[in-house]
């Protein structure tokens, strides 16, 4: 039965038995059958492929999208639409070039089944909608129903209709851990989407009363700790930055210090299985979700620092440049292990964030030039590998090339490096990060060779070479653009020069 709040008059007589479901007009049923016969949307992949795609989902996608349980697929009559959605998610983890066609085929099948109201089980439908957000079939700058933003909105609406934002709903369910995982997954996805596009949060803390995730909420037995709880701890800070950028919360000394404190606590309290290094400084075995988590961590450092002076040209501190190099280092590890194909669409946004300091911060030396060019090359390699599956990756590649082109024009006119006039009381984020730089970058010297790591008070940590900030030159003369403007610029409407003129190559990265 649909959730109805007791605060509305529509809650009157809510205890009455649910209205009977109407199967529909015979002509409608005939049309539905004809569409299924034509599209074969309800026909599952052959057993061998079905098993392979299911295994791929649980191995590569499930740690970040833990919405489906193995029991969902092993029952006597498992949901057809959920199986198709799991196959869609699993196909995103395949290296075979033909998997791109399989991705699109599975996507169209699931979409058809959704629009035909094929599934009566609302929980199975909700899990399906969650998995649909994995795939971005068209460029994310288009207004369309085919994209993660649309499917996430549908999933959130359905979750609210089912009452998943109320703890009382979970208490009555036979598997409350499943409901908590799904709801918190939606919260995490909502925060990332809002941050990416500068849009309002849909799920606000004051609108739900769900208990935090616990280890017992995860039914799939794994050797590594659950990833979602740690991703949620990071997205708590993302939600704070979203409200700052949307003007709903001020950025002052206390707010900036609180976000930095959360980041430090996240890094210090990570479960051992999700840390990059053990206590002796030895690198732990590669596990891609660990890289994903740390990429988000460094992205937040950049986003927080760039939140200073939202109304003016943003300034880039050395801490953001350091974070960009660390992000590129993690992407290099992913790419060299041929795991790039398993990155999901949100990494296009992460790549864009990492590219901005690498492009816009004034270059200091020939060695600095080479280091940044190498980092940007890695980011391009990753995006080039992703763009076959995700339309938004090609958009980010165009944005990066155009931004780099505009920086070169600024250099030619001698205007690059002219810092904005900034009052110190508007630099709270930059100063808060700088004051705790050693704690935020407490990694061994071997982590990133392009970052100056040194031993401070017995701890290997990153040292900020420059404490001053440099202004981002205006991408278009006369415009006063901030970081959010750079992200949303529609380069489809601009005449793009030949890609090769900017070193825009998507060949294989040479790994040594």
């Amino acid at each position: 039965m649909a959730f109805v709040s007791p605060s509305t008059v529509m809650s009157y007589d809510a205890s009455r038995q649910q209205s009977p479901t109407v199967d529909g007009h015979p002509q409608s049923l005939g049309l539905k059958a004809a569409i299924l016969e034509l599209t074969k949307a309800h026909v599952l992949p052959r057993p061998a492929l079905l098993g392979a795609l299911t295994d791929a989902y649980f191995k590569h996608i499930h740690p970040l999208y833990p919405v489906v349980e193995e029991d969902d697929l092993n029952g006597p009559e498992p949901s057809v639409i959920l199986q198709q959605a799991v196959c869609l998610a699993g196909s995103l983890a395949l290296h075979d070039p033909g998997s791109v066609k399989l991705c699109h085929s599975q996507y169209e099948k699931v979409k058809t089944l959704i629009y035909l109201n094929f599934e009566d089980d609302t929980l199975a439908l909700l899990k399906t909608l969650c998995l649909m957000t994995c795939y971005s079939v068209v460029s994310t700058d288009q207004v369309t129903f085919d994209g993660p933003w649309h499917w996430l909105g549908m999933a959130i609406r359905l979750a609210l209709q089912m009452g998943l934002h109320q703890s009382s709903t979970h208490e009555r369910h036979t598997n409350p851990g499943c409901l908590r995982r799904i709801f918190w997954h939606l919260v995490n996805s909502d925060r990332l989407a809002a941050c990416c596009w500068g849009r309002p949060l849909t799920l606000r803390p004051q609108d739900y009363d769900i208990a935090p995730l616990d280890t017992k909420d995860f039914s799939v037995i794994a050797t590594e700790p659950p990833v979602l709880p740690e991703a949620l701890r990071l997205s708590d800070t993302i939600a704070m930055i979203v409200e700052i950028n949307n003007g709903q919360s001020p950025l002052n000394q206390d707010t900036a210090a609180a976000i930095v404190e959360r980041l430090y606590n996240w890094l210090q309290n990570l479960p051992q299985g999700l840390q990059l290094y053990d206590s002796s400084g030895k690198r732990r075995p590669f596990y891609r979700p660990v890289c994903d988590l740390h990429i988000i961590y460094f992205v937040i450092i950049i986003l927080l620092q760039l939140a200073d002076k939202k109304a003016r040209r943003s300034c880039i501190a050395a801490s953001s440049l350091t974070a960009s190099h660390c992000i590129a280092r993690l992407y290099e590890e992913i790419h060299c292990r041929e795991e790039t194909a398993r990155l999901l669409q949100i990494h296009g946004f992460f790549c864009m964030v990492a590219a901005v300091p690498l492009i816009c911060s004034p270059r200091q030396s020939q060695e600095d030039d080479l280091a940044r060019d190498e980092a940007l090359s890695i980011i391009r390699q990753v995006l080039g590998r992703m763009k076959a599956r995700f339309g938004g990756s090609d958009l980010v590649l165009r944005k990066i090339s155009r931004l780099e082109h505009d920086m070169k024009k600024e250099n030619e006119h001698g205007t690059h490096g002219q810092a904005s006039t900034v009052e110190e009381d508007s630099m709270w984020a930059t100063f808060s990060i700088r004051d705790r730089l050693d704690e935020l970058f407490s990694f061994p010297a071997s982590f990133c060779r392009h970052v100056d790591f040194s031993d401070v008070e017995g701890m290997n940590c990153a040292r900020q070479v420059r404490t001053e900030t440099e202004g981002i030159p205006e991408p278009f003369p006369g415009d006063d653009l901030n970081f959010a403007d750079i992200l949303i610029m529609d380069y489809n409407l601009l005449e793009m020069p030949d890609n090769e003129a900017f070193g825009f190559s998507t060949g294989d990265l040479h790994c040594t």
Side-chain angles (χ1 to χ4, degrees), residues 88 102-112 132 135 137 145-147 150-151:
L88 165 63
L102 177 61
C103 286
H104 190 70
S105 173
Q106 287 299 127
Y107 175 81
E108 291 297 330
K109 285 186 175 184
V110 178
K111 184 171 69 170
T112 299
M132 287 290 276
Y135 187 49
V137 64
F145 285 161
D146 282 306
H150 168 68
W151 298 116

Side-chain angles (χ1 to χ4, degrees), residues 30-67:
L31 179 60
K32 179 178 179 179
I35 293 174
L36 289 175
E37 177 63 26
L38 178 65
T39 62
K40 307 295 183 183
H42 61 308
V43 177
L44 294 169
R46 61 188 185 277
L49 181 57
L50 176 63
L53 294 174
T54 301
D55 290 345
Y57 163 74
F58 281 107
K59 182 177 181 180
H60 301 293
I61 308 298
H62 184 272
L64 298 170
Y65 276 68
V67 297

Side-chain angles (χ1 to χ4, degrees), residues 25 60 62 75-76 131 137 151 207 240 254 383 399 418 448:
H25 193 276
H60 301 293
H62 184 272
L131 293 181
V137 64
W151 298 116
D207 295 330
M240 297 173 71
D254 292 339
L383 290 168
K399 288 179 183 289
Q418 295 179 1
C448 185

Side-chain angles (χ1 to χ4, degrees), residues 254-265:
D254 292 339
T255 304
I259 294 176
V260 170
E261 178 69 18
R262 284 174 180 251
L263 289 172
Y264 168 71
N265 288 334

Side-chain angles (χ1 to χ4, degrees), residues 373-393:
D373 289 343
E374 180 180 318
L376 285 168
S377 176
I378 293 168
I379 290 173
R380 282 195 172 99
Q381 303 288 344
V382 169
L383 290 168
R385 185 71 174 85
M386 291 175 60
K387 73 175 185 177
R389 285 175 167 80
F390 306 118
S393 298

Side-chain angles (χ1 to χ4, degrees), residues 191-441:
R191 291 168 175 174
L192 289 172
C195 185
C196 176
W197 297 111
R199 295 166 185 166
L201 290 168
T202 304
L203 295 171
R204 303 173 302 169
Q206 61 266 34
D207 295 330
Y208 52 83
D209 63 349
I210 306 304
L213 283 172
D214 189 85
T215 305
K216 65 177 182 293
D217 293 329
F218 293 82
S219 60
V220 176
I221 300 176
T223 56
E224 296 83 7
V227 175
L228 182 57
E230 301 308 318
L232 279 164
R233 289 176 58 206
L234 283 175
S235 69
D236 283 341
T237 63
I238 290 177
M240 297 173 71
I241 294 174
V242 167
E243 294 193 342
I244 290 170
N245 289 336
N246 289 344
Q248 298 172 336
S249 177
L251 177 58
N252 51 38
Q253 184 177 13
D254 292 339
T255 304
I259 294 176
V260 170
E261 178 69 18
R262 284 174 180 251
L263 289 172
Y264 168 71
N265 288 334
W266 179 87
L267 192 63
Q268 293 300 309
N269 297 318
L270 263 180
Q272 289 187 359
L274 298 180
Q275 295 175 6
L276 287 173
Y277 294 87
D278 62 22
S279 57
S280 66
K282 180 181 178 181
R283 187 64 184 267
R284 294 182 180 276
F286 176 82
Y287 181 45
R288 199 196 74 252
V290 172
C291 291
D292 288 356
L293 286 174
H294 285 81
I295 286 171
I296 298 172
Y297 169 79
F298 291 120
V299 163
I300 294 172
I301 291 176
I302 298 173
L303 291 175
L304 174 60
Q305 193 268 309
L306 293 177
D308 277 334
K309 308 162 304 306
K310 181 177 181 296
R312 311 180 188 181
R313 287 192 309 173
S314 300
C315 288
I316 295 181
S319 57
S320 292
L321 184 58
T322 298
S324 290
H325 279 298
C326 292
I327 292 170
R329 175 71 175 92
L330 292 169
Y331 277 129
E332 183 180 19
E333 291 188 7
I334 292 171
H335 197 69
C336 287
R337 288 172 172 82
E338 298 187 352
E339 290 277 333
T340 306
R342 292 164 182 151
L343 295 174
L344 298 179
Q345 44 83 22
I346 191 62
H347 281 273
F349 170 59
F350 298 156
C351 285
M352 184 70 208
V353 174
V356 170
L358 292 169
I359 295 172
C360 297
S361 181
R363 303 197 174 200
Q364 305 298 314
S365 64
Q366 185 177 6
E367 182 181 359
D368 182 34
D369 285 347
L370 293 174
R372 295 200 205 187
D373 289 343
E374 180 180 318
L376 285 168
S377 176
I378 293 168
I379 290 173
R380 282 195 172 99
Q381 303 288 344
V382 169
L383 290 168
R385 185 71 174 85
M386 291 175 60
K387 73 175 185 177
R389 285 175 167 80
F390 306 118
S393 298
D394 191 52
L395 173 69
V396 174
L397 277 168
R398 294 197 302 272
K399 288 179 183 289
I400 289 174
S401 290
R402 185 55 185 263
L403 184 59
E404 192 169 33
H405 172 62
D406 290 327
M407 294 304 102
K408 290 180 179 179
K409 289 174 60 177
E410 293 288 343
N411 282 332
E412 292 172 359
H413 290 86
T415 57
H416 188 56
Q418 295 179 1
S420 302
T421 302
V422 179
E423 298 293 335
E424 287 197 0
D425 60 2
S426 65
M427 301 282 290
W428 294 124
T430 301
F431 293 156
S432 295
I433 294 171
R434 184 193 62 187
D435 291 344
R436 304 191 65 176
L437 199 69
D438 294 345
E439 297 170 316
L440 295 175
F441 290 91

